[in-house]
Amino acid sequence: MLAPLQTGAARFSSYLLSRARKVLGSHLFSPCGVPEFCSISTRKLAAHSFGASMAAMMSFPPQRYHYFLVLDFEATCDKPQIHPQEIIEFPILKLNGRTMEIESTFHMYVQPVVHPQLTPFCTELTGIIQAMVDGQPSLQQVLERVDEWMAKEGLLDPNVKSIFVTCGDWDLKVMLPGQCQYLGLPVADYFKQWINLKKVILDAYTGPCGCGSDQRPLAQEKELQSQAYSFAMGCWPKNGLLDMNKGLSLQHIGRPHSGIDDCKNIANIMKTLAYRGFIFKQTSKPF
């Protein structure tokens, strides 16, 4: 009796999948425009664990990107601030746009050259001690390794849509281009488009103003952000990721101001927002 039962279950799963296609539309079953996914998934869903796979696929709407590259720099710092600041931690998490799960990690420490000695303030804030940056590659060498990693992960394929994600615009609008300009290094094109998680939350709850946030007075921008996050989560995130996690009832991962830990928290927040129906869109303006 076992074989007929298995055949019947497979047929029933195929029937459910067919009905779901008609109700939800075929685009849900071909995420990110990958045609191979549909046929492979259909066979797997019909033969194995239909319920669990179906639930995972239907938990949030399809995203616009195959992959999200979550990035959060740590840099040399002091009070008063030193100039120029230099990147000392360079982490990237590759997040699958279908599952919102982490698939790969790039993580390197970087040796500063203008101010090679870390300040006590910097170590206290970031948890990065001198031994962690001494003897590490320069920024130029790290950028070369990022490019190699991007190629190995298939992220340089023109048919693969990926975009960086940051918590704020500082990392890719200020820090990286500023240091590259100081050192005479080029900035790869893939670093010139990104999603600012703070801006995502703002637009999701207030809607785009039509003029672009860069044209709003700073006080107005802060007020809008305050209203947006207060509406969404019940509190304004004065402490950034810590308050975002609190507002979303998420446990904070690791240590605040650790680049790799901040990336994990951003990824976790993105996954939570995706399950609430967020569609992530580019927020940066073309360079």
Side-chain angles (χ1 to χ4, degrees), residues 85-98:
Q85 283 188 275
E86 299 171 85
I87 295 168
I88 54 175
E89 185 180 5
F90 204 127
I92 307 172
L93 298 181
K94 179 188 176 188
L95 202 64
N96 187 301
R98 261 194 294 111

Side-chain angles (χ1 to χ4, degrees), residues 19-87:
R19 292 292 299 161
R21 283 177 182 276
K22 292 179 182 178
V23 174
L24 296 174
S26 60
H27 68 278
L28 182 60
F29 296 88
S30 184
C32 303
V34 184
E36 297 84 3
F37 179 85
C38 190
S39 59
I40 294 171
S41 295
T42 301
R43 292 197 300 271
K44 287 184 177 180
L45 288 172
H48 309 287
S49 190
F50 173 80
S53 299
M54 194 67 179
M57 292 175 66
M58 295 175 60
S59 295
F60 53 84
Q63 296 293 330
R64 296 183 169 195
Y65 297 92
H66 293 90
Y67 298 103
F68 298 104
L69 306 177
V70 180
L71 176 149
D72 190 274
F73 295 139
E74 297 303 325
T76 53
C77 53
D78 202 3
K79 282 191 173 181
Q81 188 58 273
I82 57 177
H83 298 283
Q85 283 188 275
E86 299 171 85
I87 295 168

